[in-house]
Amino acid sequence: MREVLKSIESLPTVEIAETPDDLKVIAERTLNSREKVIYYVGSVEVLMQGYERTYDQGFYIPTRTELGIFVKMLVPDTEVMRAYQANDSGEARETRALPDDVRMDYSVMIHDDHVVFFLQDPKLYGLSIISPALAQTMKAMFQDMWRNAKKQ
């Protein structure tokens, strides 16, 4: 059975990131985004646990901004979300609030053919899936949520 599965070209590539360095590898792949946009939905707090502030503010955000890669974020309406939103223009990002009845204890990042789930169960990890079909579906779902999100 494994040989049959290996011969199917459309199977996604899947990897699990368990260490801070693994999570950085996932983040830095977005810096090569062909589409120049990253879609992010879910808990900002989960994301903040994955990356220390010096990495995020000192390397990742400035590099992403310099490369012209824009982020669309859909996150719960919290103080952290409003702090992100206050810095949107300087960080090549637009942040919108999810509807109050949408609760997400995890987050999803989508770019190009990549879909990455960040979960804490109980330890933080990332599940990265490279699949054009899955990414296209997740982007369509994101766009529908984006149209209905609160701009504040």
Side-chain angles (χ1 to χ4, degrees):
M1 182 64 156
R2 288 185 192 270
E3 292 306 313
V4 170
L5 291 175
K6 286 181 184 177
S7 69
I8 299 173
E9 291 182 31
S10 64
L11 283 178
T13 301
V14 179
E15 66 182 341
I16 296 174
E18 298 181 78
T19 68
D21 286 340
D22 293 343
L23 293 170
K24 285 179 184 176
V25 167
I26 287 174
E28 290 173 18
R29 283 184 191 143
T30 67
L31 300 176
N32 297 314
S33 173
R34 294 180 317 276
E35 297 174 2
K36 298 292 187 190
V37 65
I38 301 164
Y39 305 96
Y40 182 89
V41 60
S43 168
V44 174
E45 289 79 1
V46 169
L47 186 66
M48 292 171 68
Q49 290 177 33
Y51 304 103
E52 61 272 0
R53 187 163 175 77
T54 54
Y55 172 78
D56 199 35
Q57 298 292 320
F59 170 74
Y60 179 75
I61 291 174
T63 303
R64 179 184 54 74
T65 302
E66 186 177 306
L67 292 170
I69 300 169
F70 193 77
V71 175
K72 289 184 169 186
M73 293 186 85
L74 282 169
V75 296
D77 189 355
T78 64
E79 287 183 34
V80 174
M81 184 277 298
R82 288 187 288 280
Y84 265 66
Q85 205 171 42
N87 293 316
D88 276 356
S89 63
E91 296 182 356
R93 179 180 62 228
E94 183 176 350
T95 305
R96 293 185 185 180
L98 287 166
D100 294 334
D101 63 338
V102 175
R103 183 167 182 248
M104 297 183 78
D105 296 328
Y106 61 93
S107 59
V108 183
M109 180 175 62
I110 310 147
H111 68 95
D112 299 324
D113 294 339
H114 297 253
V115 178
V116 182
F117 296 90
F118 295 96
L119 306 108
Q120 190 162 10
D121 191 25
K123 181 182 161 191
L124 180 67
Y125 67 96
L127 175 64
S128 176
I129 304 168
I130 302 172
S131 165
L134 178 60
Q136 181 180 3
T137 299
M138 295 296 290
K139 289 174 192 173
M141 291 170 58
F142 180 94
Q143 294 298 357
D144 185 58
M145 293 172 70
W146 186 258
R147 282 189 293 276
N148 296 306
K150 297 183 282 183
K151 289 187 181 181
Q152 302 274 321

